Amino acid sequence: MSATTTRSVRRPLTAVAATALLAPAFAGCSLIPSVGGGGDASVTYDGKDSSAVQSATIQFSGQGTFIEPDTLDPAEYSWSGSGFFITPDGIAVTNNHVVTGAGSLSVTIGGEGKSYPVRVLSTSECLDIAVVQVDVDDPVPYFGWAKGEISTGSEVYALGYPLGDPTFSMTKGAVVKADYAFDTFDNVVEHGIQSDATIRGGNSGGPLIDSEGKVVAVNFYGNDQIATSNYAIGRDDVLPVLDDLKAGKSVLSLGLNLAALTTDDPYGLSGIWVQSVAAGSAADKAGIEPGDVLEKLGGVTLAGPSSLSQFEGTTEGTMKNYCDVLQTKGVDAAIEVEVYRPSTDELLEGEVNGSGEIEVTQSGVYGGGGNDVPTGYTTVSSDDGRIVVSVPAEWTDQATTPGSGETQLQVSTDLNSFGALAAEGVELHATAYQALGTPSDVIATLDNGLAGVGCSPASGQVDQAYDDGYYTGLWSVFTGCSTGADVGVVVVDSVDGSASGYLIIVGTFGEAATSDPTVIQILNTFILS
């Protein structure tokens, strides 16, 4: 239920989507200094003036259709990420997950308002790296790469545009672990950097620089609850493949935006979830679709906990087996693949880079219809448009109540039973900013109310920090209510200070709330204004 791990900021587009954070609106003087000598010198940092490194750091704005893990229906999303120039003619580096699957993509430079078109040159799924060409008219400032050893304890800075904010951000820290090998839910890194320079959603793809302004790594992952859990893809992983990527040759990539499934997935699925597919890629030609689960590749099962899971306190899966197969076979070889398609409850088999598309070999794998995964979602809103959320299509009973400074929306299979905590549903309240007090004040009241009707707090899931890039606050989960229901409570303020509110979700998710597909869908789509 909490969004503690951070990638690029992505949230669905709806009738009143909160896109303001993603649409830079700055005008006036450019922050880009002139580049002398034909743009041959990379930017530097003197410990005081950050304008040079800011001028070479870019913000991505993307839009495309994805199918998120444990959901069945595609949804159109808007998102943001970061990146940085590595040549004066506009070639830049970012994360694969920032660009793959984008139907449209643009950047702003150094926090200025002008938008520039982007073309993806090549990607690496396994490193989570992409190289792009930004369509610039004049030479641009660019970063050089750090020389020599990167040592533990050395000073570093994480640069980028966290939380979709068009304002440049620079956080200082130190290297906690240097040359650190790890695998995660969306990459495998041999020479990673762990630091305490804060990385949040939207920092993905930005540079991690040393005290002189040279790049030591590419940011990609952070955990808001652990100060030292900020990870970057090291220089020594990127430089060996950079020439190929700049030349348009993808490295360890089939053209997918992937996320390894959690090892405690409530529907028994294991493998790699396909969030989006690049048009014309090897995966696209093989018939792999968004929403598929890659269960085997080259005869190897794609499952197991990532090397960071125990340390991070998560159950995220790993990309390691997937990347090992690509490393062994090569991305141009014909590779056997087994795919589960939750939307049709079918198993498909065939080859990537084979002579045709994958074909159905088994139906009714989990008992039909995706084994209790909701058969679809629908977007609903309050009468005044202040609340928008996506809920299971079978939640057809709806009521909205506008009030003085507050709007309430309830959606359920049966509102009468929902009110008694006996039917699945969600209740959302949108208020004027901080009209209810702080999130801690409100959640304390709601927690006491649930405890008063016999609900028990779930172990380790009460008053936890909530942050999804657009809203911050607290969340709690209660189980064992008198009706047998389980309840999740989220109390939030919007990051830009425009709204506050709370959500009460009643269901049967229990302590699996963090991976329940309906809970994930609601938290990924709710908008309070």
Side-chain angles (χ1 to χ4, degrees), residues 153-158 171-175 195-198:
S154 60
E155 187 176 279
V156 289
Y157 299 82
T171 58
K172 182 180 179 180
V175 174
S195 79
D196 60 3
T198 302

Side-chain angles (χ1 to χ4, degrees), residues 58-306:
I58 61 179
Q59 181 178 37
F60 286 81
S61 295
Q63 188 170 325
T65 298
F66 287 75
I67 297 182
E68 295 291 346
D70 293 327
T71 64
L72 296 180
D73 287 347
E76 188 176 356
Y77 287 85
S78 175
W79 68 89
S80 71
S82 300
F84 57 99
F85 287 122
I86 57 172
T87 68
D89 61 351
I91 292 179
V93 169
T94 186
N95 288 144
N96 172 70
H97 76 256
V98 171
V99 300
T100 295
S104 65
L105 199 63
S106 63
V107 303
T108 55
I109 302 174
E112 66 165 1
K114 182 179 178 180
S115 182
Y116 297 82
V118 180
R119 179 169 57 93
V120 178
L121 297 179
S122 54
T123 62
S124 174
E125 290 152 21
C126 289
L127 284 176
D128 195 15
I129 288 291
V131 170
V132 304
Q133 175 70 64
V134 181
D135 187 10
V136 293
D137 299 324
D138 301 306
V140 293
Y142 64 96
F143 284 96
W145 297 88
K147 307 291 185 181
E149 181 182 1
I150 301 167
S151 59
T152 299
S154 60
E155 187 176 279
V156 289
Y157 299 82
L159 278 55
Y161 302 87
L163 306 180
D165 190 335
T167 305
F168 174 76
S169 172
M170 185 173 182
T171 58
K172 182 180 179 180
V175 174
V176 175
K177 291 183 181 179
D179 205 29
Y180 178 36
F182 53 82
D183 55 271
T184 74
F185 57 95
D186 68 353
N187 68 359
V188 178
V189 177
E190 293 295 326
H191 303 285
I193 303 291
Q194 180 185 351
S195 79
D196 60 3
T198 302
I199 298 172
R200 302 189 74 188
N203 273 125
S204 293
L208 186 72
I209 63 171
D210 63 15
S211 59
E212 297 180 352
K214 304 305 177 183
V215 177
V216 299
V218 181
N219 301 321
F220 85 98
Y221 169 89
N223 187 325
D224 293 344
Q225 294 185 341
I226 305 176
T228 60
S229 291
N230 304 284
Y231 298 91
I233 305 152
R235 168 202 65 190
D236 295 340
D237 278 318
V238 180
L239 288 182
V241 301
L242 192 55
D243 285 343
D244 281 343
L245 293 172
K246 287 164 64 178
K249 182 180 179 181
S250 292
V251 176
L252 298 180
S253 180
L254 297 178
L256 299 169
N257 194 323
L258 301 169
L261 284 174
T262 55
T263 55
D264 67 346
D265 182 270
Y267 302 104
L269 302 178
S270 63
I272 311 293
W273 186 277
V274 179
Q275 297 184 107
S276 66
V277 182
S281 65
D284 184 34
K285 293 175 182 177
I288 295 172
E289 300 177 356
D292 285 348
V293 179
L294 307 183
E295 293 192 325
K296 286 187 177 182
L297 187 68
V300 176
T301 300
L302 307 178
S306 76

